[in-house]
Amino acid sequence: MDSMERLREIVETSDRIVAFTGAGLSAESGIPTYRGAGGLWTKYDPNIYANIDHFLRDPTYYWNFFQEVRYPIISQAQPNPAHDALVELERRKLLKTVITQNIDGLHQMAGSQNVIELHGNTRRIGCMECGKEYSMDEVYGKLQDQLPPRCDCSGGLKPRVVFFGESLPFEALEGANDAVKDCDACLVVGSSLVVYPAAMLPVLASEKGARLAIINIDPTPLDHMAEVVINDSAGDVLHTVVKGGFE
Ligand code: NAD
């Protein structure tokens, strides 16, 4: 059995699948990853714009990045065949949960119902004083004459994402733990599996006896634990396995 056939066999014989997704899954939607193929190419350094200490000291760097890079890319991005294939698996009642490290909201836009966002969602921006929430469009509007942008109460704004140096939201992490403990197959899609604690989840799934499949262009540190590793594009692989068959 070749690896595509084995992946299809895993998908078709499991009914409590968890998909664990990362930036590579959204690469084909035009959103650059941090690492590997198609990695970030902008003048903005994620170690600075996504670092909480730096953000609190100098939010202007983040908001310049938002205005020049993040907003134009995320506001135009559309789900790709990999997102659609996971929606289809959920519709067929084979997939229970998508656990994503992505902050782009594309799983929900594609139609996935049960999505756990480990690192938050960059489309939601909250006031650090009063908690009022704004959309990206609203904040982009504010930025035309206000840098850094402020809430109507004059509090500072922050995207509802987990920055480097912040803890993961407890509820999301707990939900993700429960989902992987209960799954019979874990499909890792488009993640370098080097960001912790998120990358512990596929390990936990495997330790609990789930079948592990990894679809990622570059090799990952957990490849040795997986039953199947496919180093190819997420959209092509998932579309072929889930939607098209491959005879
Ligand atoms: P990563 O950037 O560390 O790794 C991405 C991986 O995707 C690479 O190993 C690469 O080989 C693979 N890849 C690239 N294109 C692919 C494709 N078309 N098909 C399959 N694989 C492909 O990503 P990560 O592991 O998710 O960790 C990065 C962190 O950065 C996450 O915490 C995430 O929050 C954040 N991030 C999110 C986005 C997003 O929301 N779209 C984008 C960049 C970074």
Side-chain angles (χ1 to χ4, degrees):
M1 210 188 275
D2 75 13
S3 49
M4 290 289 274
E5 285 169 346
R6 190 173 291 271
L7 178 62
R8 185 161 73 169
E9 188 268 319
I10 290 175
V11 164
E12 290 182 350
T13 57
S14 307
D15 60 3
R16 283 176 287 118
I17 300 172
V18 162
F20 177 83
T21 71
L25 186 136
S26 290
E28 290 160 75
S29 296
I31 304 176
T33 59
Y34 281 171
R35 304 173 187 82
L40 271 172
W41 30 257
T42 78
K43 63 183 185 187
Y44 292 98
D45 179 352
N47 293 309
I48 299 178
Y49 72 69
N51 177 289
I52 189 63
D53 294 331
H54 193 281
F55 178 79
L56 295 174
R57 230 179 14 252
D58 174 23
T60 305
Y61 187 89
Y62 176 85
W63 293 113
N64 279 327
F65 160 74
F66 175 90
Q67 207 168 9
E68 273 186 50
V69 181
R70 174 144 292 170
Y71 179 82
I73 291 178
I74 299 280
S75 61
Q76 294 303 314
Q78 294 296 319
N80 67 55
H83 296 100
D84 294 341
L86 296 180
V87 174
E88 174 69 15
L89 286 182
E90 190 179 25
R91 195 191 60 74
R92 287 191 213 159
K93 302 203 182 306
L94 303 178
L95 180 144
K96 290 257 191 206
T97 310
V98 174
I99 301 172
T100 189
Q101 299 169 91
N102 293 344
I103 53 170
D104 54 37
L106 290 182
H107 285 298
Q108 295 90 329
M109 199 188 282
S112 284
Q113 301 290 315
N114 193 16
V115 180
I116 296 177
E117 292 176 318
L118 290 175
H119 295 160
N121 190 321
T122 200
R123 295 174 191 267
R124 298 196 282 120
I125 297 163
C127 172
M128 291 186 284
E129 301 293 329
C130 74
K132 180 171 177 184
E133 189 165 295
Y134 295 87
S135 68
M136 290 209 313
D137 288 344
E138 288 171 309
V139 175
Y140 188 76
K142 280 180 183 285
L143 277 166
Q144 304 314 307
D145 51 27
Q146 197 181 46
L147 182 72
R150 308 208 76 85
C151 178
D152 300 341
C153 80
S154 89
L157 297 178
K158 177 183 177 292
R160 295 221 152 122
V161 298
V162 178
F163 279 42
F164 296 128
E166 291 190 296
S167 307
L168 265 57
F170 177 77
E171 214 173 284
L173 196 53
E174 201 174 46
N177 264 304
D178 289 346
V180 294
K181 282 184 196 156
D182 183 50
C183 73
D184 55 2
C186 177
L187 308 183
V188 173
V189 191
S191 175
S192 60
L193 294 176
V194 298
V195 178
Y196 279 82
M200 272 311 292
L201 291 163
V203 176
L204 183 59
S206 171
E207 285 173 355
K208 288 280 170 189
R211 302 174 77 182
L212 181 62
I214 298 179
I215 304 154
N216 198 61
I217 287 189
D218 294 299
T220 81
L222 301 190
D223 288 357
H224 65 284
M225 302 183 77
E227 187 177 333
V228 186
V229 175
I230 302 181
N231 294 129
D232 208 336
S233 108
D236 288 349
V237 172
L238 285 181
H239 180 81
T240 303
V241 167
V242 175
K243 295 254 177 138
F246 43 89
E247 288 84 59

